[in-house]
Amino acid sequence: MSGSSYYVPHETKWPFLATIALMIMFIGLANYMNDESTLTLTLTGLGLLLIVVYGWFSYVVRESESGLYDDQVDMSFRWGMAWFIFSEVMFFAAFFGALYYARELSLPWLAGDGSGVSTNQELWPSFENVWPSNGPANYGGDFVVMKAAGIPALNTIILLISGLTVTWAHHGLKEGKRNQLILGLIATVLLGFIFVGFQAYEYSHAYNDLNLKMSSGIYGSTFYMLTGFHGFHVTLGAIMLTVILFRCIRGHFSNENHFGFEAVAWYWHFVDVVWLGLFVFVYWL
Amino acid sequence: MSTNIDHIKEEHHHQPSGLMRWITTTNHKDIGSLYLWFSLLMFFIGGFMALIIRAELFQPGLQLVVPGFFNQMTTMHALIMIFGALMPAFVGLANWQLPMMIGAPDMALPRLNNWSFWILPFAFTMLLSTLFFESGGPAAGWTLYPPLSLQGGNSMPFVIFSLHLLGASSILGAINVIATILNMRAPGMTLMKMPIFVWTWLITAFLLIAAMPVLAGAITMLLTDRFYGTSFFTAAGGGDPVLFQHIFWFFGHPEVYILILPAFGIISTIIPAFSRKKLFGYDSMVYATASIALLSFIVWAHHMFTVGMPLAGEIFFMFTTMLIAVPTGVKVFNWVATMWRGSMTFETPMLFSLAFIILFTIGGFSGLMLAITPADFQYHDTYFVVAHFHYVLVPGAIFAVIAAVYYWLPKWTGKMYNETLGKVHFWMTTVFVNITFFPMHFVGLAGMPRRIPDYAVQFTDFNMIASIGAFGFGLSQLLFVYILFQTLRQPVTAADKSWEGAEGLEWTLPSPAPYHSFDTPPKVD
């Protein structure tokens, strides 16, 4: 401590180690994509990254539990997390933008709307603009659409309830009701993993029974990229919730001071909101 | 838990030395220096590539390099200068200056700060290594337009992952900047009392967080289109190659303001200091910066007027683009009004700032010409565009960085640079930058296309002049390096307030500034 009221950490090895792990992972992955047999290298990088993340976060958790952080540090964390979530929103915005563009512009043009007249007549005179579409060249062959009713609707309900249970747990934490906190978190984690399980089942159903693949033209592309990145974020969120659950069981957090809990809850709500957008624009409309 | 406290506190007492100091540092000045040195290195690597390009273009015909390698050079030159030289330079300046300017001990998230820097050297090693691949580096231009970029060699996933890493680094850095500015200001420093450089960086950080993830999305789609059979950018599958251009420029246009807004902040700091007057129109400067930032999100398609958009789109993007001239004009007039009847002196930082105002404005005007859709049909993808963006980025952004280094060097090191050499550096740089880029306007208007290693003979004279200018510019920057090292060898003589007219909290600190800027927050009235 430098004699100030503000906590300034003096040195750290974690970021550098995290970078090295990231590099091993990405070099492995890039070579793997170029058909080299570097899957082991990729997974090694990923494993190292997980170890580093575990080490880094444990260190921060220990600092937090030793009371090194004051209100100002807490506020820095809040701003940090809020803007991080905003960056995630913009990441998803790129894919939603691609979806709207395809549905509202590129498909109508390919079907002969506006300046697309000659493209349509010269290349694909029989192509009509209907959604879902795998494009004028029928990429990936005929497929069946994933319906909104059924698993997607069920998953919507699951995520919405999980948003309630995490809020219920938060109230438990603030009011010192430990059982409510732990039960609420367990329920949220379970609902999160059930969601991911359903999603995995849905993918296998789509690939095996519906012939709906990533290569099924623009519908398959947008469907798998949007739901895939969302599912990845749900998985991350569920893992983060699990960590918070174990921390709560160990007696971390006070009813006043529990930003770690809140950060993950924010993230969970963000994932929830993205899903609502997906449900409406990818599955339903 | 008490053992943990002791353990953690104990660990913080010893300070590693040598290389480990730089690898593990969480100090904003250390990290700022790392950023600035890294940026200088990248500036010379990217500059070397530019000289290969200019050497090839000295004469028509193919002399030195094969066309494929030429394309790799143009692509890499842009990626390195944007992501390696300019952005890290501004982040380095932010690291050094923000805590000192707002009266804080350090940045808000010091470990994240370390991470944002250390990603850079690794990511650039990965990017540069592609030049040694059998199939070469990326050659489709820094904009990575499909379908061309999808047809490249093995470098593609490496380039995309390195861009992912650079984007992550920028986002982390920007989050840190915002948290620092919003949460660490000295008591009494309200938002509208912040130094203007802090304001421009706050808005730049917002642009970074909003724009970089969109780039990540765009290049991820490129990756899956190439390797996993998606058809985002394939018409036969219902996608559209033009979709990439839309998403890319939704990132790309805010990106160019990311490169210039901090420069505006620097100029708005230096002009008042050497005019010995307060900045004219502080409030309007803040609003102008914010307006430019917001407008930057609704002008992107002016980069693609010739791609075949609906007429309504062309007109919308033409008018929104022209609107940007209003807040930018406010800034230029404010700078001029600041100097009006001031007691001006012309030390090196001021000279670079004055050149910035004139030459950046030339770049701004050629931007206005490009904004006019029907005219752009003639200018598009010619050397006129190259002249335009080099005028805003070289005598614009880079001049601001150089001015900032000269201006704050005494504060950082406690040592004063040699003023005569600084002025020589200024005049050489300014003369050569114009010799390099001004002729490009003419060959561009006459129809010389960009990104081509060969050209029609009637363009020869202007290209020769530009090439001579480029080598002169490159040599002049060696003088800059010499001045930097010469300064570092001086004894500590600089006053705490190194410039008579300088304002701001950083000048209340000793020179060189202490390791932790403000241990106790200063009071701002």
Side-chain angles (χ1 to χ4, degrees):
Chain A
M1 312 279 290
S2 50
S4 70
S5 58
Y6 191 80
Y7 175 59
V8 180
H10 277 210
E11 62 182 78
T12 175
K13 58 181 184 290
W14 298 115
F16 193 79
L17 294 176
T19 312
I20 290 177
L22 269 175
M23 289 307 296
I24 294 173
M25 186 176 85
F26 276 133
I27 289 172
L29 191 56
N31 277 307
Y32 181 69
M33 288 179 169
N34 286 330
D35 293 328
E36 305 281 341
S37 48
T38 49
L39 191 59
T40 326
L41 188 67
T42 314
L43 295 176
T44 310
L46 179 64
L48 287 174
L49 184 64
L50 292 177
I51 293 170
V52 173
V53 167
Y54 180 82
W56 191 345
F57 274 89
S58 316
Y59 194 82
V60 173
V61 167
R62 258 185 292 146
E63 282 185 336
S64 168
E65 288 302 307
S66 342
L68 276 172
Y69 297 160
D70 57 17
D71 287 350
Q72 199 177 22
V73 178
D74 191 68
M75 189 49 92
S76 288
F77 288 163
R78 280 169 197 277
W79 280 123
M81 191 66 196
W83 286 103
F84 171 69
I85 289 176
F86 176 62
S87 81
E88 293 268 47
V89 170
M90 293 307 292
F91 181 72
F92 276 98
F95 296 104
F96 274 106
L99 176 68
Y100 301 147
Y101 184 92
R103 291 182 62 167
E104 297 300 323
L105 296 171
S106 74
L107 284 171
W109 285 337
L110 286 169
D113 256 23
S115 58
V117 174
S118 50
T119 309
N120 176 265
Q121 281 175 358
E122 294 293 328
L123 291 175
W124 297 293
S126 61
F127 180 66
E128 281 174 46
N129 171 28
V130 281
W131 184 258
S133 168
N134 56 354
N138 195 26
Y139 270 20
D142 292 337
F143 61 90
V144 181
V145 178
M146 187 63 66
K147 288 195 179 59
I151 288 180
L154 198 58
N155 262 350
T156 309
I157 295 167
I158 287 173
L159 270 196
L160 286 176
I161 293 177
S162 78
L164 292 177
T165 53
V166 79
T167 307
W168 189 60
H170 191 195
H171 279 286
L173 178 54
K174 283 203 286 197
E175 290 153 21
K177 294 176 186 159
R178 223 177 115 71
N179 285 340
Q180 183 180 329
L181 166 65
I182 308 272
L183 274 178
L185 272 178
I186 290 175
T188 315
V189 169
L190 282 179
L191 289 167
F193 282 114
I194 290 172
F195 175 95
V196 176
F198 272 148
Q199 196 77 4
Y201 170 77
E202 186 191 72
Y203 276 13
S204 113
H205 175 60
Y207 260 82
N208 295 325
D209 308 327
L210 306 181
N211 193 34
L212 171 57
K213 300 178 173 157
M214 261 185 114
S215 50
S216 300
I218 191 66
Y219 179 76
S221 308
T222 50
F223 176 82
Y224 280 104
M225 284 294 251
L226 277 161
T227 58
F229 270 113
H230 177 261
F232 175 64
H233 281 77
V234 175
T235 312
L236 281 184
I239 293 170
M240 283 151 62
L241 281 167
T242 312
V243 173
I244 296 295
L245 171 64
F246 281 117
R247 287 187 64 188
C248 287
I249 292 172
R250 282 202 191 172
H252 290 192
F253 304 125
S254 67
N255 54 355
E256 291 284 305
N257 208 340
H258 49 261
F259 179 65
F261 181 103
E262 285 174 303
V264 173
W266 290 358
Y267 194 79
W268 195 249
H269 289 308
F270 149 72
V271 166
D272 202 354
V273 170
V274 172
W275 174 260
L276 291 180
L278 284 183
F279 183 69
V280 173
F281 293 107
V282 175
Y283 290 98
W284 184 10
L285 294 180
Chain B
M1 280 303 152
S2 63
T3 51
N4 278 340
I5 299 178
D6 294 342
H7 169 66
I8 286 163
K9 280 194 171 168
E10 195 182 321
E11 253 189 310
H12 286 153
H13 277 301
H14 68 88
Q15 178 105 26
S17 57
L19 187 62
M20 282 312 280
R21 170 192 166 185
W22 299 101
I23 286 178
T24 62
T25 186
T26 51
N27 178 271
H28 73 101
K29 298 193 178 71
D30 284 352
I31 295 171
S33 303
L34 284 170
Y35 264 112
L36 288 170
W37 283 115
F38 178 78
S39 149
L40 189 65
L41 176 68
M42 287 292 133
F43 179 55
F44 277 95
I45 294 177
F48 183 70
M49 291 171 177
L51 292 186
I52 293 176
I53 294 168
R54 283 317 320 171
E56 174 58 49
L57 292 175
F58 185 70
Q59 285 182 327
L62 295 175
Q63 288 89 30
L64 296 170
V65 295
V66 294
F69 187 72
F70 183 90
N71 290 341
Q72 293 173 34
M73 286 296 101
T74 54
T75 305
M76 282 293 218
H77 164 71
L79 288 173
I80 294 211
M81 285 303 196
I82 294 167
F83 292 99
L86 271 174
M87 289 167 75
F90 286 126
V91 181
L93 291 171
N95 258 298
W96 259 100
Q97 289 306 127
L98 293 183
M100 292 204 283
M101 288 178 144
I102 63 172
D106 208 298
M107 297 291 276
L109 304 160
R111 290 189 189 119
L112 219 53
N113 204 9
N114 174 300
W115 202 19
S116 0
F117 171 75
W118 277 109
I119 287 174
L120 294 183
F122 287 94
F124 274 101
T125 308
M126 189 150 100
L127 182 64
L128 284 167
S129 72
T130 61
L131 286 175
F132 302 99
F133 287 9
E134 209 175 320
S135 54
W142 81 280
T143 52
L144 304 169
Y145 280 5
L148 190 58
S149 67
L150 295 175
Q151 296 156 3
N154 283 346
S155 65
M156 192 211 183
F158 292 88
V159 173
I160 287 183
F161 286 142
S162 67
L163 282 176
H164 273 308
L165 287 168
L166 297 174
S169 152
S170 294
I171 292 168
L172 295 177
I175 287 174
N176 204 353
V177 165
I178 292 202
T180 307
I181 296 175
L182 293 180
N183 192 35
M184 306 275 287
R185 295 191 311 277
M189 183 179 280
T190 56
L191 285 176
M192 290 311 275
K193 281 184 189 165
M194 291 196 308
I196 198 79
F197 179 70
V198 179
W199 253 116
T200 53
W201 242 113
L202 178 67
I203 291 165
T204 305
F206 165 75
L207 288 181
L208 277 166
I209 299 175
M212 297 307 294
V214 177
L215 173 69
I219 58 181
T220 304
M221 287 184 246
L222 272 186
L223 203 63
T224 57
D225 263 20
R226 160 103 182 241
F227 293 103
Y228 298 104
T230 57
S231 19
F232 288 105
F233 310 130
T234 312
D240 188 351
V242 177
L243 168 60
F244 179 84
Q245 302 186 18
H246 281 291
I247 304 178
F248 181 86
W249 286 113
F250 185 84
F251 143 80
H253 206 78
E255 168 69 23
V256 303
Y257 293 139
I258 288 162
L259 298 173
I260 203 65
L261 291 185
F264 287 166
I266 291 163
I267 302 305
S268 308
T269 309
I270 293 176
I271 295 282
F274 295 96
S275 307
R276 290 160 184 80
K277 275 177 66 191
K278 286 225 173 306
L279 178 67
F280 182 88
Y282 171 93
D283 290 12
S284 64
M285 280 298 205
V286 172
Y287 298 133
T289 313
S291 313
I292 293 173
L294 292 178
L295 282 173
S296 77
F297 286 105
I298 53 165
V299 298
W300 74 87
H302 66 217
H303 293 268
M304 28 195 296
F305 278 145
T306 58
V307 86
M309 273 188 297
L311 186 62
E314 310 258 52
I315 291 172
F316 173 80
F317 287 109
M318 173 168 82
F319 282 122
T320 50
T321 304
M322 290 177 138
L323 262 184
I324 294 178
V326 178
T328 313
V330 168
K331 284 180 164 293
V332 173
F333 283 117
N334 277 347
W335 291 323
V336 175
T338 305
M339 291 185 283
W340 177 253
R341 310 189 90 170
S343 329
M344 292 169 68
T345 50
F346 299 93
E347 287 85 347
T348 311
M350 182 61 164
L351 288 174
F352 273 102
S353 303
L354 289 172
F356 173 98
I357 296 178
I358 297 161
L359 299 177
F360 175 82
T361 304
I362 293 178
F365 277 128
S366 57
L368 262 182
M369 291 170 69
L370 289 162
I372 302 165
T373 310
D376 182 75
F377 273 62
Q378 168 72 14
Y379 309 147
H380 188 87
D381 260 348
T382 67
Y383 258 81
F384 189 78
V385 178
V386 178
H388 157 69
F389 67 70
H390 279 94
Y391 258 86
V392 290
L393 288 177
V394 184
I398 289 179
F399 270 33
V401 172
I402 295 175
V405 169
Y406 279 118
Y407 182 66
W408 280 307
L409 202 55
K411 178 52 61 188
W412 301 339
T413 62
K415 299 160 185 180
M416 197 46 118
Y417 62 88
N418 182 320
E419 190 61 57
T420 314
L421 281 182
K423 284 188 171 128
V424 173
H425 174 223
F426 165 75
W427 283 111
M428 286 174 67
T429 304
T430 304
V431 168
F432 282 122
V433 90
N434 285 294
I435 294 178
T436 311
F437 297 116
F438 210 79
M440 292 183 186
H441 291 112
F442 307 136
V443 287
L445 289 178
M448 177 172 162
R450 58 191 288 213
R451 291 172 172 160
I452 300 283
D454 189 5
Y455 51 82
V457 284
Q458 69 265 31
F459 303 131
T460 310
D461 290 348
F462 282 133
N463 270 292
M464 281 186 169
I465 295 171
S467 291
I468 291 167
F471 277 84
F473 182 84
L475 286 175
S476 317
Q477 303 324 306
L478 293 177
L479 177 61
F480 182 46
V481 176
Y482 174 78
I483 294 171
L484 288 178
F485 280 100
Q486 194 207 37
T487 310
L488 290 177
R489 286 204 312 272
Q490 303 290 317
V492 172
T493 52
D496 291 355
K497 193 178 171 195
S498 317
W499 309 106
E500 191 195 354
E503 299 253 0
L505 285 176
E506 73 264 38
W507 305 108
T508 65
L509 289 166
S511 295
Y515 198 60
H516 288 286
S517 299
F518 286 94
D519 276 347
T520 45
K523 187 92 182 81
V524 180
D525 302 317

